[in-house]
Amino acid sequence: MRYSLAASLLVSSAACAPYAPLPVHLETRTEIDSRVANVHVTFNEPVEGELTYTYGRHCSGTHQLRDAHHTVARSNSNSESRLVWLMPKDAESGGCLSAWDSNGALVGRSEPQRFQTVKKRDLRKRDGGIAMTQDMGIDTWGPWFDGVKLLENKEISAVDAEAAKSKEVAIVGGGMSGLMTYLVLHQSGLSNLKILEASQRLGGRVHTEYLSGGPFDYSYQEMGPMRFPMTVSVANETYNVTDHQLVFQLAAEMNGLNGHDRNLSVDFIPWYQASPNGLSYNNGFKLPETGMPPTLAQIKQNASLAAPAPALDETTQKLQDAITKITSNETMMIEIATNMHKAHKDFIVNGLGGKGGEVWSEFAYMVNYLNATLNQTDIVVGSSADSSFWNSLYDNVYFSASTWSTIDGGLSRLPLSFHPLVDNVTTMDAHVDQVEFLDAEQRVRLSWKQKGAKDAAYQNATFDYAVIAMPFSKVKLWRLPMLPTTIKNAINNVPMESACKVALEYKTRFWEHLPTGPIYGSCSTSTDIPGVGSVCYPSYNLNGTDGPASILASYASGDWAVRWLSQTEDEHVQYMVDAMAEIHGDVAREQYTGRNNRRCWYLDPYEGGAWAAPTIGQHQLYIPEYFKTYSNMIFVGEQTSYTHAWIASALESGVRGAVQLLLELGLVDEAKAAVDKWMARWIEV
């Protein structure tokens, strides 16, 4: 269902009056549901001199230039072009668009335009392009796509659509946000797009490691994102997790573009988030009858088998209950699931306890507002003390999902599907680390050195616009002194979370044949062995009998992911080999093939971290900055989105960045079409 404005401007084309043929043809080609639109101009024959385009109430032949209600644009162009039509709030229904030559003679007239009720709005102008800002009608804290219907240009002007679509645009980074930006711009008709990728692969943090063979030999693990939440059940109702639907839509789009080629297809299979036979190995305890740790199902039947939870005193328990009530608020959970963008705005505006948006860290809220002691707060929040409640709210919804999906053959098949589309426009090994704005030319210069060439000179290329779709930690901005401090801080100061994963390969899927019952998929096995974190079994090729298979022996984030950096890869891997044998028994040591992979994202030369982790206040402060175009640069990536660490976050930012550029170029029709295709269909209000 499309997002609709409470009060909108509806324009329809009536049957054309029997005017004599005129040299200039004026028309609108899309439904106009706001005060901004593209008017398409076609010249049936040349007209000399400056043309004036107007809108007036009357459409008769006696209507003259002086009778116009307002001027739409002036232009000397005789090529097919567009106007950015900004409709004043007092424009009346039933008028026509007209074109006048330099002598005031009528040379073009549109069909009548009929208005319904118009939402009054203060239209203002801005120098330097179209502003996707709060003042200009763009809701940077929530449903930004609503603002596309309320945009305005810097001045009343004509747009050469062909020239606009021929602008040279660099997309710096071939991760999911960069690829999504490319797709939207490419499908909008931009013809001079270039992707500059620092590594030799597409996908960025989407990284499937194939320990043996290829995708359908089924011995792989996800060293980056792993899964997609689909539905969540709240108050006995099931809701789609709508922002993640963007992933499924993209996969369907790429499958169609690739003619459903099996070698490139992106097909979804269930991801098993939980298994009743997941093991709980704590305090070294194993059941004497099986020699195995108890399963979750056994603990459910006999709670005494569980590791004892620390007893909470009455006041600490009340604090725990209060925080759980906040993070599991059913109304907020439903809103996040059905419209994450609107939920984000509600959180920023209303906040907690009537105190506004991201004012509180969880620690500060408990100590300063709930008057909890430091000890109580430490017990309740632990390592999440400096987290924003917004992070806890959306993560609680996502990880409460009742159904999940993953990609058959690995998530890397999603960026793989882009290769036929982008290979001819992609330069690999272009590790851009310097950006400069050439004021005289109004162009962006990007510079990089060829990988491995210590003494090589920088390679340079200039573009009309650059979409920065790479981790901000990799961009050097000292050549951009004109950038305001806020955007510099937004780029330089947002910390990155650390995560380390270790994948181990085994000769068979022994975990599906344990004496305590088969473990099919899931990350249900837990342990107090330090530094292990989550243990995840594959959700693909269940009960497969051929060839080796792999498990994610360790998924650690936060403090432990940093601690592991002090260990060599061999030491880290051997620790996990030993830990898996301790949990599962000797079968794990016997079945280990010796093949493994460790990925610590802080060590990745192209990413520098696993996902963005803005501190309290940064999220609210910086998001509006990402909606501004500075020195012909637009910034995208999951770090610029409302949520972090998910593929959907990167894709959403790519759509926003593409729409932002389309609006900068005056391509309003294309911007609205992109929003309607990629965003509006998932929003329901």
Side-chain angles (χ1 to χ4, degrees):
M1 177 178 177
R2 285 186 181 174
Y3 192 93
S4 58
L5 297 174
S8 63
L9 170 64
L10 300 177
V11 180
S12 61
S13 297
C16 184
Y19 304 128
L22 294 170
V24 182
H25 180 71
L26 304 173
E27 63 177 338
T28 54
R29 296 178 182 173
T30 61
E31 180 182 88
I32 304 172
D33 49 11
S34 73
R35 295 187 181 280
V36 62
N38 274 150
V39 177
H40 294 257
V41 183
T42 306
F43 289 86
N44 301 318
E45 58 184 81
V47 179
E48 294 185 1
E50 183 180 67
L51 294 180
T52 301
Y53 299 94
T54 65
Y55 177 79
R57 180 177 179 182
H58 304 291
C59 296
S60 66
T62 59
H63 180 202
Q64 299 180 30
L65 175 58
R66 64 174 179 269
D67 299 320
H69 177 268
H70 63 273
T71 298
V72 175
R74 292 185 175 88
S75 175
N76 289 305
S77 174
N78 265 249
S79 61
E80 186 178 55
S81 173
R82 296 191 204 179
L83 313 177
V84 178
W85 181 21
L86 305 172
M87 291 158 266
K89 59 186 178 182
D90 60 347
E92 297 185 16
S93 177
C96 287
L97 295 157
S98 301
W100 313 87
D101 67 14
S102 57
N103 296 318
L106 181 69
V107 293
R109 181 157 286 165
S110 73
E111 298 175 348
Q113 308 293 308
R114 305 198 182 281
F115 300 175
Q116 290 185 2
T117 303
V118 175
K119 180 180 179 180
K120 293 184 178 181
R121 182 161 188 81
D122 177 21
L123 295 178
R124 307 172 201 157
K125 299 175 184 177
R126 171 180 95 92
D127 291 331
I130 295 177
M132 291 185 73
T133 64
Q134 213 79 26
D135 290 341
M136 294 298 122
I138 294 294
D139 196 343
T140 56
W141 287 346
W144 58 265
F145 36 84
D146 186 13
V148 172
K149 304 177 187 301
L150 298 170
L151 281 174
E152 58 190 8
N153 202 1
K154 63 179 180 180
E155 61 184 14
I156 298 172
S157 63
V159 174
D160 186 332
E162 183 177 350
K165 291 185 177 183
S166 297
K167 294 289 187 183
E168 293 181 288
V169 179
I171 299 170
V172 185
M176 294 314 304
S177 62
L179 293 174
M180 190 72 200
T181 303
Y182 176 88
L183 179 63
V184 175
L185 293 176
H186 172 72
Q187 292 188 332
S188 298
L190 272 69
S191 57
N192 281 324
L193 301 172
K194 186 78 171 178
I195 297 175
L196 301 175
E197 167 55 38
S199 71
Q200 293 184 320
R201 54 178 289 274
L202 299 177
R205 297 186 188 110
V206 176
H207 191 114
T208 307
E209 185 66 28
Y210 300 99
L211 280 81
S212 284
F216 303 110
D217 292 304
Y218 291 116
S219 183
Y220 63 80
Q221 272 300 328
E222 305 293 356
M223 308 310 286
M226 301 188 290
R227 57 208 157 176
F228 311 104
M230 294 181 66
T231 63
V232 62
S233 297
V234 183
N236 297 319
E237 294 286 341
T238 299
Y239 302 88
N240 285 329
V241 184
T242 53
D243 55 314
H244 288 265
Q245 297 294 317
L246 192 56
V247 179
F248 307 121
Q249 182 188 0
L250 174 61
E253 183 79 7
M254 298 311 298
N255 286 342
L257 291 175
N258 290 324
H260 299 277
D261 183 342
R262 175 60 182 162
N263 292 323
L264 298 168
S265 64
V266 182
D267 303 306
F268 293 92
I269 57 175
W271 166 276
Y272 296 90
Q273 181 70 3
S275 169
N277 292 327
L279 304 173
S280 178
Y281 181 62
N282 295 280
N283 300 320
F285 175 70
K286 294 186 177 183
L287 295 171
E289 57 270 26
T290 62
M292 296 288 293
T295 66
L296 299 182
Q298 290 171 324
I299 290 173
K300 186 176 182 180
Q301 293 176 345
N302 183 358
S304 66
L305 298 178
L312 301 181
D313 60 67
E314 183 178 355
T315 55
T316 304
Q317 185 62 56
K318 286 182 178 179
L319 178 64
Q320 176 69 76
D321 294 343
I323 299 305
T324 301
K325 185 176 181 181
I326 291 172
T327 57
S328 301
N329 179 277
E330 291 183 349
T331 300
M332 178 60 78
M333 289 183 70
I334 292 170
E335 189 171 31
I336 290 173
T338 56
N339 190 336
M340 177 273 295
H341 300 81
K342 186 173 184 296
H344 179 263
K345 180 180 180 180
D346 288 346
F347 173 77
I348 292 295
V349 173
N350 299 318
L352 299 169
K355 297 296 183 180
E358 289 196 304
V359 174
W360 301 108
S361 68
E362 296 189 24
F363 181 89
Y365 184 80
M366 284 180 253
V367 171
N368 298 323
Y369 187 71
L370 298 181
N371 299 316
T373 67
L374 295 177
N375 184 61
Q376 292 167 346
T377 303
D378 182 65
I379 292 172
V380 171
V381 298
S383 62
S384 300
D386 61 347
S387 297
S388 163
F389 270 106
W390 172 245
N391 292 353
S392 298
L393 288 167
Y394 71 73
D395 267 346
N396 184 55
V397 172
Y398 296 161
F399 285 105
S400 296
S402 49
T403 59
W404 297 73
S405 280
T406 188
I407 295 176
D408 192 16
L411 266 64
S412 283
R413 293 187 64 79
L414 184 56
L416 173 72
S417 69
F418 277 84
H419 275 284
L421 187 66
V422 306
D423 277 355
N424 289 339
V425 299
T426 301
T427 300
M428 296 292 187
D429 286 330
H431 195 167
V432 174
D433 63 359
Q434 293 187 24
V435 183
E436 184 177 4
F437 184 65
L438 307 177
D439 191 60
E441 302 174 31
Q442 291 293 292
R443 286 171 68 86
V444 180
R445 179 160 64 193
L446 305 173
S447 303
W448 66 92
K449 282 186 176 181
Q450 199 68 25
K451 182 181 178 183
K454 295 182 179 179
D455 300 324
Y458 268 97
Q459 299 184 46
N460 300 295
T462 63
F463 300 87
D464 293 300
Y465 287 89
V467 180
I468 309 299
M470 61 187 287
F472 291 166
S473 61
K474 301 298 180 181
V475 183
K476 299 176 183 177
L477 294 171
W478 64 76
R479 295 178 182 269
L480 295 166
M482 74 292 295
L483 287 183
T485 300
T486 308
I487 187 61
K488 284 188 175 181
N489 289 345
I491 294 168
N492 294 324
N493 292 354
V494 175
M496 300 294 294
E497 182 63 271
S498 179
C500 282
K501 291 185 175 183
V502 175
L504 303 176
E505 186 186 67
Y506 295 90
K507 297 175 184 177
T508 67
R509 306 169 73 91
F510 71 82
W511 49 88
E512 294 181 354
H513 306 281
L514 294 172
T516 50
I519 303 176
Y520 294 123
S522 85
C523 298
S524 295
T525 289
S526 62
T527 180
D528 61 358
I529 298 176
V532 172
S534 298
V535 179
C536 301
Y537 308 89
S539 290
Y540 52 79
N541 196 32
L542 301 182
N543 283 319
T545 57
D546 297 329
S550 304
I551 65 174
L552 193 63
S554 173
Y555 178 10
S557 59
D559 181 58
W560 260 108
V562 177
R563 292 191 200 185
W564 279 120
L565 301 182
S566 65
Q567 302 294 309
T568 67
E569 182 170 345
D570 288 344
E571 291 171 334
H572 191 174
V573 168
Q574 187 60 50
Y575 184 96
M576 296 309 164
V577 170
D578 295 340
M580 293 305 100
E582 185 175 347
I583 295 171
H584 300 93
D586 290 340
V587 63
R589 199 178 302 280
E590 295 165 358
Q591 293 274 313
Y592 179 50
T593 68
R595 297 190 184 94
N596 57 73
N597 183 258
R598 177 183 87 152
R599 178 162 292 273
C600 291
W601 287 98
Y602 266 0
L603 298 178
D604 188 283
Y606 308 112
E607 305 296 340
W611 61 83
T615 59
I616 298 304
Q618 285 187 334
H619 185 83
Q620 184 173 345
L621 175 64
Y622 294 151
I623 278 186
E625 291 300 308
Y626 301 137
F627 284 71
K628 300 174 184 177
T629 302
Y630 287 109
S631 300
N632 289 16
M633 290 187 300
I634 292 171
F635 299 95
V636 301
E638 58 87 22
Q639 66 270 32
T640 72
S641 187
Y642 301 105
T643 60
H644 307 289
W646 298 88
I647 290 179
S649 311
L651 299 183
E652 181 272 335
S653 77
V655 177
R656 187 265 304 160
V659 168
Q660 190 170 334
L661 179 56
L662 292 171
L663 292 170
E664 287 287 336
L665 297 173
L667 302 175
V668 178
D669 286 353
E670 286 79 359
K672 288 186 176 182
V675 168
D676 286 342
K677 177 175 182 176
W678 292 106
M679 298 297 292
R681 65 177 297 185
W682 304 121
I683 306 305
E684 188 171 333
V685 177

